[in-house]
Amino acid sequence: MALAIIGFGLFAYEYSIKTKIYQQTNSSINNTASNSYLFSIPMIGIVTPMAMEQAPILAVMKNVTEINISGYTFYVGKIGNQWVVNVRSGEKEYAAELATYIMDTHFHIIANILSGTAGSRNPYVLPGDVVIGAYVVDKSSIHYHNRGFQSDYTGVEMVISNKSLINNSIIGGYGEVGPTLQNASYYGYGPGTTDKNYVYIAAFPASLGLVQIAQQAQLGYLPASNISSNSTINGLVKSQIIVGVIGSANQWTEPLVWQLDQNALYQTDAGENEGMGFAYVNAELGIPWIIVRGISDSPWFPNTYIGVYAAQEAANVTIYIIEHFSYSNLYQTVNESILSNVSNAKLNHYLIALRAYYSVGNVTMIKYLANNGTIITIISPNISEYTYAYGYKVLDSRIS
């Protein structure tokens, strides 16, 4: 992760400002020099990974200027009386991390919001609800031990500074003091020294002030038949805001039993693909942040998907935060006491387990795409590549 942050600097000053400035009439034209002031105005950042998630944000922005930086289009304008800047980052952690870094290091960001959709990881969280990410964990950071259990793989590595915002983070450990030009030739041949500025973060906490604002937003009602995809179920269901834990990973997990296995280690309430990268950059740079996720689907209702509605609900809460923005508790981070009573971490009394035991079966079939475009199927694939060298026949002739 640290290398990725360094690499982002290569893009830092490759930007241009489009000359087309959208006013409410969408007709005004201006030049580059007259818009340089936009980089110094204090504003709230809004990162939206998908086009579907960006649309309801852009729909309410006024007096919009488009600014292009390294291929990303940043929309600068106002929501209500508050200056904001919005970018479509693209999906997955790395895209969100890069777009967030460019935003944070070019504009005067006073707070940052990740707005979009997610899947439920909690039977009390229904499609149409909104999960406020008080914490975000990296669910791809799993160490599967050969002794039959999984544990958190120390967390993401972060080199912190005096401005880094990591109070109340769940810390999985620390790195060691690295080599210098003087000791590089013999580094590693002795005991290491812990470097308290090289931190392994297992869970990032959001801004307390932003979460407190988000809790006050109001949601509407959905037909129960829309939530369940069952036309025989009648009535309306009040959507609710849940302050919970976001599980972020570059993976898409569908079988409920696998999701439950992951939740045994990380007690999450919503699953998505960008939150950890977004939080990582903001925490490193000392910018208060919050994640707002409208729930589009749930493994307990496998036939339901309401992506556009969920994106709009997330945008509604995001807009509420912006219109009611306050500096109160902005730089304080949450602790677990703020979690909703129905959040998995609150119900199960832990956020990250020390160990979660599991069982793994053999791969029974493999399908792959051949160079000629045909799909090849392998039944009962050869498992020699998954066996230990000792106690089994060794295939490589270099070891007898």
Side-chain angles (χ1 to χ4, degrees), residues 3 30 45 49 64 111 142 212 234 271-272 310 341 377:
L3 291 177
N30 217 327
V64 178
I142 300 177
Q212 288 172 331
N234 300 317
E272 43 95 295
N341 289 334
T377 300

Side-chain angles (χ1 to χ4, degrees), residues 154-384:
T154 69
V156 294
E157 300 180 15
M158 172 180 286
V159 181
I160 63 172
S161 67
N162 291 334
K163 66 180 181 180
S164 297
L165 198 58
I166 63 168
N167 293 336
N168 294 328
S169 296
I170 296 179
I171 296 176
Y174 298 92
E176 62 181 5
V177 176
T180 65
L181 293 174
Q182 289 71 36
N183 68 7
S185 61
Y186 57 87
Y187 179 86
Y189 290 96
T193 303
T194 298
D195 184 352
K196 288 299 182 70
N197 289 321
Y198 204 111
V199 184
Y200 300 144
I201 305 291
F204 285 104
S207 160
L208 174 61
L210 295 178
V211 173
Q212 288 172 331
I213 297 171
Q215 287 178 295
Q216 305 304 314
Q218 297 297 314
L219 303 180
Y221 291 80
L222 266 180
S225 57
N226 288 10
I227 294 172
S228 62
S229 292
N230 185 342
S231 59
T232 66
I233 300 179
N234 300 317
L236 296 175
V237 176
K238 178 72 167 66
S239 296
Q240 60 181 343
I241 291 177
I242 294 94
V243 179
V245 179
I246 301 292
S248 183
N250 288 329
Q251 58 188 237
W252 190 282
T253 306
E254 289 190 6
L256 179 58
V257 64
W258 288 6
Q259 294 185 34
L260 295 177
D261 285 349
Q262 293 172 0
N263 255 30
L265 181 60
Y266 302 105
Q267 287 293 332
T268 65
D269 302 293
E272 43 95 295
N273 308 118
E274 298 87 21
M276 198 67 175
F278 168 81
Y280 179 92
V281 172
N282 288 307
E284 173 69 39
L285 299 178
I287 296 175
W289 60 270
I290 188 172
I291 298 174
V292 180
R293 290 295 192 178
I295 301 302
S296 59
D297 56 278
S298 166
W300 291 274
F301 300 101
N303 296 322
T304 299
Y305 180 74
I306 52 171
V308 174
Y309 181 87
Q312 182 66 65
E313 287 286 68
N316 290 343
V317 175
T318 296
I319 293 163
Y320 182 91
I321 295 170
I322 293 166
E323 291 179 338
H324 296 81
F325 177 75
S326 168
Y327 282 92
S328 176
N329 295 329
L330 183 63
Y331 284 90
Q332 293 187 42
T333 53
V334 302
N335 58 45
E336 293 182 41
S337 66
I338 202 170
L339 295 173
S340 297
N341 289 334
V342 296
S343 69
N344 278 320
K346 185 67 72 71
L347 290 172
N348 294 286
H349 309 295
Y350 70 93
L351 200 156
I352 301 178
L354 296 175
R355 294 182 177 185
Y357 289 79
Y358 66 92
S359 61
V360 177
N362 293 329
V363 175
T364 59
M365 181 186 298
I366 296 173
K367 292 180 181 286
Y368 70 90
L369 187 65
N371 290 335
N372 62 6
T374 60
I375 296 178
I376 307 299
T377 300
I378 302 174
I379 306 296
S380 299
N382 188 327
I383 63 170
S384 62

Side-chain angles (χ1 to χ4, degrees), residues 133-157:
Y135 287 90
V136 60
V137 299
D138 183 4
K139 290 182 70 172
S140 65
S141 183
I142 300 177
H143 182 180
Y144 290 101
H145 299 257
N146 61 15
R147 288 166 288 168
F149 63 88
Q150 55 184 320
S151 66
D152 181 70
Y153 187 43
T154 69
V156 294
E157 300 180 15

